[in-house]
Amino acid sequence: MTFIVGPLFSGKRRVAMELLGCGEEALARRAVWDVQELAAARSDLEALAAELAAHEVVIATEVGGGVVPADPAQRMAREAAGRLNCLLAERADRVIRVFCGLPTVLKGAL
Amino acid sequence: MLTLVIGGAASGKSEYAERLVLHAGDGPRVYIATMEPFDEESLQRIEKHRRMRAGKGFQTLECYTDLASAQVPSGSTVLLECVSNLCANEVFSPAGSGDAAAQSILRGVEHLQRQCGELIVVSNDLASGGSLYEGDTLRYLEILGTVNQELAALADDVCEVVCGLPCWHKGGTRFADFS
């Protein structure tokens, strides 16, 4: 599994399509994205990470920057999303951070 | 050659971009200013940047929208600062191009590239501060994200400035001797 992470609107899906050599339709079958939104609803993040890792590519938006949200639910969601990212990165064969559409390999090789 | 310099607020990106301009040579230097002075804070910010540029031989060109209409001397070194402002003007100002903001900015950058020798473009990283945005702000962030990606793809060199120090995501070797 390849884990792709980066800021909002940074071109993560585009990098995934280039990596897989596929278009948007195939990407929907081979990859899963916005996984940061799944974390809050799950008590067992390990199990969620294991399920997600069955995909070829898992994509998350990094949401840990900025001021800690005042709203407790948003705060918990952000915590869970960050923790999930770490679990996914552990499971991944390669981890790619995308910035302005440009990939930087944090783990493994392109 | 096109260089994209991007960073967070007060990351030292402007100062670093000015150093790149000085490094680029002695040709005519043009500063394209995009911040419309509509309140005291923006006036102060503009004044701070003017002081930073003083004595560096820049001719200032104000351009709030429609970058493709800007004329710069042939072979000049151009510093465009900054794309996040220009993008906000294009998206929100009555004179702007609205939903065609990204295309307008990219057309403008390509237009400048054809005229000048070196083009150094400063942009702002606004997308690394979480995701709790909605409405016009989210729309603006998406457009700016597209512009930043397209600029990075076009650019020969892409540099993220962190605490005044360059982190090269693409190229950068031609600046290695001073950074």
Side-chain angles (χ1 to χ4, degrees), chain A residues 7-11 14 61-66 69 74 97 99-104, chain B residues 6 125 127-133 138 141-142 145 148-150 152 158 160 169-170:
Chain A
L8 271 180
F9 307 124
S10 57
R14 190 156 84 172
T61 296
E62 173 58 63
V63 295
Q74 288 179 344
R97 180 190 180 228
F99 187 78
C100 292
L102 300 173
T104 298
Chain B
I6 183 164
D125 173 20
S128 294
S131 62
L132 301 172
Y133 301 101
L138 192 65
L141 286 178
E142 181 163 18
N148 284 340
Q149 284 175 52
E150 295 294 333
V158 178
E160 180 186 8
H169 289 275
K170 184 179 184 182

Side-chain angles (χ1 to χ4, degrees), chain A residues 3 15 19 28 64 77 83-84 88 92-93 95 97 102 105-106 108:
Chain A
F3 180 45
V15 167
L19 212 63
R83 191 67 211 126
L84 178 65
L88 288 167
D93 306 304
V95 179
R97 180 190 180 228
L102 300 173
V105 178
L106 303 181

